[in-house]
C-alpha cells in the first residue's frame, strides 16, 4: 500500500503527537501519508489535501481517536472498499479496538498485504417528503427518530416490506446494524448482535405500550417509518449521531441494507467477545 490516510481527533493532544510520529514512520517506509485537512492545520504539515482528494487516493485509512471519529470517517469513505484501522488511545472501543501498542506491528502486516478485515454491513436511509426524495445517506451504526425536548410521545407508523408492523407511540425509534447494536440501541434495551450477522434491529425508545419490544429482521427487509404525529410536534432524524434534521408530519423514512460495506481492520490479539467483556465489564463485581 502506497497511500495511507490519517484522520484523528484533532482536539486531543495525544492524537496529534501519535499522528506526527505515524507520519514520520510511514514516510520512512516509503509510503505517502494523506493527512486529514483539520489535522494538517494543527500539525503544520506541508502537504494539504481536501477530504475528497484523500477519499479518492487512499488505499488504507488510520483513525486515531474513539468510535465517534471512526464513524465519521466510515461515512466519508462509504462507497469505497478501503480498509480502516481504528486506534483508540483511551479505553478500548467497540470499533477502535486497536491499542497504541498494537499500532505499528499491525501496520507492518497491513502494508505487507496481510490485514485481518471485518466487513460491516451499512444501512441506506432515504427520506421522502410529499412523495419526493429529500435526503439519502449510508450509516454504519444507526438512524434514530426522536422527539424534541418538550414534545409529547411521537407516532411512527412502521412497515416491513409494505406489511404493517405497528404504529409506535414512543419517545422515538432506533434502526441499527449489528455493528450499531452496541450503541444507542443497547442503551434503549436492544439486543447485542454479533457484527458478522446479516440482520437489522428495530428498537423503540421508551414505548408507551410496554409490549412493544425490540425486533430483529432479515437484512433483505425494507423498513418504512412514517411520522403520523401532528404538525406541532418536534421530531428529528439523526444519522450515526452526527447528521440530523427536523422531520414533518407525513415524512417517510425508508431503510434498507446498503450495497456497500465498511471494512474494519481488526486486532489479532483479541476477539469480539473479549471486547464485549472489557467494555461492558462483564464478570466484574
Amino acid at each position: 500500500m502506497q497511500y495511507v490516510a490519517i484522520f484523528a481527533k484533532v482536539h486531543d493532544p495525544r492524537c496529534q503527537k501519535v499522528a506526527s510520529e505515524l507520519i514520520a514512520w510511514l514516510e520512512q517506509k516509503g509510503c505517502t501519508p494523506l493527512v486529514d485537512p483539520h489535522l494538517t492545520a494543527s500539525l503544520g504539515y506541508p502537504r494539504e489535501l481536501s477530504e475528497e482528494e484523500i477519499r479518492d487516493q487512499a488505499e488504507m485509512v488510520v483513525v486515531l481517536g474513539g468510535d465517534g471519529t471512526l464513524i465519521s470517517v466510515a461515512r466519508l469513505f462509504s462507497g469505497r472498499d478501503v480498509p480502516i484501522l481504528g486506534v483508540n488511545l483511551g479505553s478500548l472501543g467497540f470499533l477502535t479496538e486497536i491499542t497504541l501498542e498494537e499500532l505499528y506491528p499491525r501496520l507492518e502486516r497491513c502494508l505487507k498485504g496481510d490485514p485481518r478485515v471485518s466487513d460491516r454491513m451499512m444501512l441506506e436511509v432515504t427520506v421522502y417528503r410529499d412523495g419526493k426524495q429529500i435526503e439519502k445517506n449510508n450509516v454504519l451504526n444507526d438512524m434514530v427518530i426522536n422527539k424534541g425536548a418538550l414534545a409529547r410521545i411521537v407516532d411512527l407508523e412502521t412497515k416491513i416490506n409494505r406489511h404493517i408492523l405497528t404504529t409506535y407511540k414512543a419517545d422515538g425509534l432506533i434502526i441499527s446494524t449489528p455493528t450499531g447494536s452496541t450503541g444507542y440501541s443497547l442503551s434503549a434495551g436492544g439486543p447485542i448482535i454479533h457484527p458478522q450477522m446479516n440482520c437489522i434491529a428495530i428498537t423503540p425508545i421508551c414505548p408507551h405500550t410496554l409490549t412493544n419490544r425490540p425486533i430483529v429482521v432479515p437484512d433483505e427487509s425494507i423498513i418504512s417509518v412514517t411520522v403520523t404525529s401532528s404538525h406541532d410536534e418536534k421530531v428529528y432524524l439523526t444519522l450515526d449521531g452526527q447528521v440530523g434534521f427536523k422531520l414533518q408530519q407525513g415524512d417517510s423514512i425508508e431503510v434498507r441494507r446498503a450495497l456497500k460495506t465498511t471494512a474494519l481492520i481488526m486486532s489479532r490479539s483479541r476477539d469480539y467477545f473479549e471486547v464485549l467483556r472489557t467494555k461492558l465489564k462483564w464478570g466484574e463485581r
Side-chain angles (χ1 to χ4, degrees), residues 7 9 93 120 132 179 204 210 213 217 219 225 227 243 279:
F7 288 80
K9 192 175 182 179
R120 303 295 181 88
K132 298 179 181 179
T179 296
L210 296 181
R213 310 306 301 167
V217 299
D219 66 327
V225 183
V227 179
V243 176
K279 285 292 289 181

Side-chain angles (χ1 to χ4, degrees), residues 145 221 233 283:
I145 302 171
S221 302
E233 299 291 351

Side-chain angles (χ1 to χ4, degrees), residues 153-191:
I153 60 175
V154 295
D155 296 341
L156 302 169
E157 182 185 80
T158 305
K159 297 180 181 179
I160 299 176
N161 298 331
R162 299 186 179 179
H163 298 289
I164 294 177
L165 174 63
T166 188
T167 296
Y168 289 105
K169 294 179 179 293
D171 283 358
L173 189 66
I174 305 165
I175 300 179
S176 71
T177 64
T179 296
S181 70
T182 49
Y184 192 3
S185 177
L186 181 62
S187 300

Side-chain angles (χ1 to χ4, degrees), residues 98-234:
I98 305 296
T99 64
L100 183 58
E101 291 72 25
E102 295 175 281
L103 171 58
Y104 293 105
R106 201 73 197 85
L107 270 176
E108 285 275 13
R109 301 193 70 154
C110 290
L111 294 179
K112 292 177 181 177
D114 185 26
R116 178 189 170 213
V117 173
S118 173
D119 287 318
R120 303 295 181 88
M121 67 170 281
M122 302 181 76
L123 296 176
E124 179 185 276
V125 181
T126 309
V127 183
Y128 296 94
R129 179 171 296 162
D130 299 325
K132 298 179 181 179
Q133 178 182 312
I134 62 169
E135 188 74 25
K136 188 174 184 178
N137 275 285
N138 285 353
V139 297
L140 175 60
N141 257 17
D142 53 37
M143 62 126 271
V144 179
I145 302 171
N146 56 17
K147 66 183 183 67
L150 301 178
R152 295 183 291 273
I153 60 175
V154 295
D155 296 341
L156 302 169
E157 182 185 80
T158 305
K159 297 180 181 179
I160 299 176
N161 298 331
R162 299 186 179 179
H163 298 289
I164 294 177
L165 174 63
T166 188
T167 296
Y168 289 105
K169 294 179 179 293
D171 283 358
L173 189 66
I174 305 165
I175 300 179
S176 71
T177 64
T179 296
S181 70
T182 49
Y184 192 3
S185 177
L186 181 62
S187 300
I192 296 175
I193 304 173
H194 193 282
Q196 294 303 312
M197 295 287 289
N198 294 319
C199 59
I200 303 171
I202 304 171
T203 305
I205 305 170
C206 299
H208 179 68
T209 302
L210 296 181
T211 54
N212 280 150
R213 310 306 301 167
I215 182 171
V216 178
V217 299
D219 66 327
E220 65 264 23
S221 302
I222 299 175
I223 304 165
S224 176
V225 183
T226 302
V227 179
T228 57
S229 301
S230 62
H231 284 288
D232 59 348
E233 299 291 351
K234 293 183 178 179

